[in-house]
Amino acid sequence: MDSPLILTFDVGTQSTRCLLVRPDGGFEDICQVKHAQPYRSQAPGWAEQSPDFYYERICEAGRAVCGRNREALKRVTAVALTTIRDTVLCLDRDNKPLRDIILWLDKRQAEFDDPIPLYNKLMFRAAGMSGAVENIYRASACNWIAQRQPELWARTAKFVMLPTYLNYKITGVLADSAANMIGHMPFDYKRRRWQGRSALTRCIYSIPQEKLCDLVPAGQTIGRTTGEFAAISGVPEGLPLIATGSDKGCETLGLSVVQSHKAAVSLGTTATIQLALERYVEPQPFMPAYPAVPNHLYNPEIELYRGFWLVSWFLKEFCAKDLAQAEALGCPPEELLDRYIADIPPGCGGLLLQPYWTPGITTPAARGAIVGLTDHHTRYHLYRAILEGIGFELYHSLKQMEKRAGIRVEEIYVGGGGARSNVACQILSNMFGLPVKRTQTHEVSAVGAAMAAFLAQGVFHDYDEAIRAMVHEGDVFRPDPDGHKIYAQLYSGVYARLYPRLEPLYRRISQIMKRSDAL
């Protein structure tokens, strides 16, 4: 008997994919629609997109897959959706967009107009988080809109995440999974609900309670595909849309990481490392653990905002010759560079890179640093140092989370575009001193989203059964003892000391540049 299928949409920054996912973790069909213009910038640092851009890409990908799989569509029992995080828009009383979407990449800053009540201010100061709170306030799109576009903000009936709006466009129901509320929103991550008015950090966000959407647990049916959506997308009408979670959360699930001895590393534009714990454990002081797609789990995560974006930056700024050569050979430029760096020994001849091209919440003064350059280093050494710098930071993050959670990770599962690089995976294995594993597909977010839908449909009894059926071990990279020894010495002796030593200088640079800009 033919197996059931889940029609899964995976909306990323660079592309949108539609996949017909089987219960064995394979795919009947895939269509990827690349975003010719991932975002627009009306001002430096802005990243916006037209309100229905992602919905139109979903419909385009859906038409392609559904149009060439008429018979297979009869086996589709549900729809699942996973999208990028911290991407928001304003809706009026009729759920019509009032302005363009603001993406997670956006770097605009609200004015910090001292909105924090005295008691909260004292509590933040006592925790040493006053700077972090100010940074969160400035980075929250809701605060910028309230300050700069007050008339539009007054007309905003709902302030929602991207998946919430897409759920509405697909089903006519404005609701979302608690596992999608990851971003600059007044959300109680531990209890999986909106913060109450008395919550300590509620004052950071200028969003009235009535502007927030309804929340449901992952695995629950949000609504059913409408006739309007069916006519545009080719997706059958009346299919249940199952609540899942964010792309990173679905990726962690799709990598089989649901136990505390595993960690999920995502080598994407943003690099992350996530755990799966039954206890709520903050990965860093004052930073929440996110609700996982399995409703009994949390995903503590530390994010390196500029992860494999650094590879794109390096290619653009330093590799015109290599880009031309890769085009002539018909291979991705990263594949070509991997050939050149494979024989460079661990540590790049003493060249270390600290990948803080963008400050973090707990490192607000940070800048990037390249340390140890000599006359024998080439651009290929610098490229490998970027991969090692990302690895060092992920290792540093894991050590922090292990200590806070009181656990020991034994296996690393890796996803994201950077996971295609054998060199990057081997660097991670050598650095962590642990096996680094890839699964049978790079489409792990879609596998995780479909897994939640299959479970909701009763195909599997629990996530353990679903993982056994849908996630299959692929390549395994095992640590080289000598390489691990070198990385361990470089980490403890140099990398772990870089930021504490450089942080006062970073602050001094910022002060000088502010005075310079004021002249």
Side-chain angles (χ1 to χ4, degrees):
M1 184 175 179
D2 289 332
S3 62
L5 300 172
I6 301 297
L7 187 66
T8 305
F9 292 101
D10 183 357
V11 179
T13 306
Q14 303 290 335
S15 68
T16 293
R17 291 175 293 283
C18 178
L19 310 93
L20 284 171
V21 187
R22 301 191 301 262
D24 65 357
F27 309 110
E28 294 284 295
D29 196 7
I30 301 175
C31 175
Q32 180 182 30
V33 177
K34 293 187 177 180
H35 302 163
Q37 187 179 13
Y39 60 88
R40 301 193 300 255
S41 295
Q42 297 183 26
W46 290 22
E48 298 186 337
Q49 192 53 269
S50 58
D52 284 324
F53 176 86
Y54 300 103
Y55 177 66
E56 291 165 358
R57 302 291 85 72
I58 280 176
C59 292
E60 182 181 349
R63 285 194 301 271
V65 169
C66 295
R68 59 192 183 221
N69 292 277
R70 300 289 186 188
E71 285 300 312
L73 284 184
K74 298 175 183 177
R75 296 155 50 202
V76 173
T77 61
V79 177
L81 169 70
T82 183
T83 80
I84 49 179
R85 312 183 297 188
D86 201 16
T87 296
V88 295
L89 68 164
C90 299
L91 305 179
D92 67 13
R93 294 185 182 279
D94 297 319
N95 294 329
K96 303 292 185 185
L98 291 169
R99 68 175 323 281
D100 283 348
I101 293 169
I102 298 178
L103 274 71
W104 65 273
L105 287 162
D106 194 276
K107 300 304 292 181
R108 77 190 71 195
Q109 295 278 296
E111 295 295 326
F112 190 70
D113 47 8
D114 200 22
I116 310 299
L118 179 60
Y119 172 78
N120 304 63
K121 193 180 298 184
L122 293 173
M123 294 295 290
F124 295 144
R125 188 178 301 164
M129 296 304 297
S130 297
V133 167
E134 180 175 340
N135 287 337
I136 295 170
Y137 184 91
R138 290 181 182 276
S140 298
C142 58
N143 298 330
W144 186 92
I145 296 170
Q147 291 175 1
R148 299 295 187 90
Q149 299 175 337
E151 293 183 1
L152 183 147
W153 188 242
R155 291 165 50 210
T156 298
K158 295 292 181 182
F159 184 73
V160 300
M161 297 281 201
L162 173 62
T164 315
Y165 180 61
L166 293 177
N167 291 343
Y168 171 74
K169 294 290 287 186
I170 292 170
T171 68
V173 177
L174 192 72
D176 209 345
S177 165
N180 261 330
M181 296 301 106
I182 297 170
H184 293 79
M185 300 286 271
F187 186 70
D188 185 332
Y189 293 91
K190 185 175 183 179
R191 296 172 179 82
R192 301 172 185 257
R193 66 191 186 197
W194 297 119
Q195 288 182 335
R197 290 180 173 84
S198 61
L200 182 64
T201 58
R202 183 65 177 86
C203 58
I204 296 174
Y205 309 99
S206 58
I207 310 174
Q209 297 294 113
E210 64 270 15
K211 291 186 190 292
L212 301 170
C213 74
D214 293 334
L215 297 176
V216 301
Q220 183 169 314
T221 297
I222 290 175
R224 293 183 176 270
T225 53
T226 65
E228 181 180 355
F229 174 64
I232 300 172
S233 67
V235 175
E237 182 179 357
L239 290 173
L241 174 66
I242 306 300
T244 62
S246 71
D247 55 353
K248 297 292 186 184
C250 287
E251 184 174 325
T252 294
L253 177 59
L255 288 170
S256 79
V257 177
V258 293
Q259 293 101 15
S260 62
H261 70 277
K262 297 180 179 181
V265 167
S266 178
L267 298 179
T269 303
T270 294
T272 61
I273 183 163
Q274 275 196 356
L275 305 178
L277 303 178
E278 294 187 13
R279 296 179 294 116
Y280 181 85
V281 178
E282 293 182 346
Q284 296 171 305
F286 214 67
M287 295 300 295
Y290 300 137
V293 177
N295 292 309
H296 68 291
L297 295 177
Y298 296 96
N299 290 145
E301 173 192 289
I302 295 182
E303 174 185 68
L304 177 59
Y305 188 78
R306 296 300 191 184
F308 265 64
W309 173 92
L310 283 171
V311 171
S312 301
W313 169 82
F314 177 80
L315 290 170
K316 176 184 175 184
E317 300 297 338
F318 299 99
C319 294
K321 180 180 177 181
D322 300 294
L323 289 170
Q325 184 180 359
E327 184 175 0
L329 293 172
C331 69
E334 296 89 348
E335 181 181 315
L336 181 65
L337 290 179
D338 276 0
R339 300 177 196 171
Y340 292 138
I341 69 170
D343 294 330
I344 296 176
C348 297
L351 184 65
L352 271 76
L353 183 141
Q354 182 182 268
Y356 292 172
W357 262 237
T358 299
I361 294 298
T362 59
T363 54
R367 289 172 175 260
I370 301 171
V371 178
L373 277 167
T374 68
D375 59 2
H376 78 272
H377 285 125
T378 67
R379 68 178 179 275
Y380 302 120
H381 287 85
L382 180 56
Y383 180 69
R384 184 174 175 114
I386 288 173
L387 301 184
E388 291 185 347
I390 293 169
F392 275 128
E393 190 58 28
L394 292 171
Y395 178 78
H396 179 70
S397 300
L398 178 62
K399 293 295 110 179
Q400 291 182 65
M401 291 196 292
E402 283 182 326
K403 183 176 180 180
R404 292 180 65 84
I407 62 166
R408 179 64 61 86
V409 168
E410 300 170 0
E411 298 175 298
I412 305 292
Y413 286 78
V414 64
R420 293 183 175 91
S421 167
N422 289 347
V423 174
C425 291
Q426 189 61 56
I427 287 172
L428 285 181
S429 180
N430 290 350
M431 195 164 287
F432 283 79
L434 297 171
V436 168
K437 300 182 177 182
R438 291 192 296 221
T439 61
Q440 80 277 10
T441 177
H442 296 298
E443 302 288 353
V444 287
S445 291
V447 170
M451 196 182 296
F454 278 127
L455 193 63
Q457 296 283 292
V459 175
F460 302 113
H461 293 96
D462 55 32
Y463 279 107
D464 289 337
E465 181 185 358
I467 286 170
R468 287 194 296 271
M470 296 186 69
V471 183
H472 312 288
E473 191 173 285
D475 300 309
V476 180
F477 300 84
R478 301 193 182 279
D480 171 66
D482 293 334
H484 177 60
K485 182 178 180 180
I486 292 170
Y487 283 135
Q489 291 173 344
L490 286 172
Y491 172 77
S492 61
V494 183
Y495 188 85
R497 304 183 184 191
L498 275 181
Y499 184 72
R501 300 288 180 89
L502 292 175
E503 195 263 354
L505 300 181
Y506 292 148
R507 291 189 180 277
R508 185 61 177 155
I509 289 172
S510 297
Q511 292 168 359
I512 293 171
M513 298 314 298
K514 284 180 180 179
R515 287 201 293 267
S516 175
D517 292 340
L519 295 177

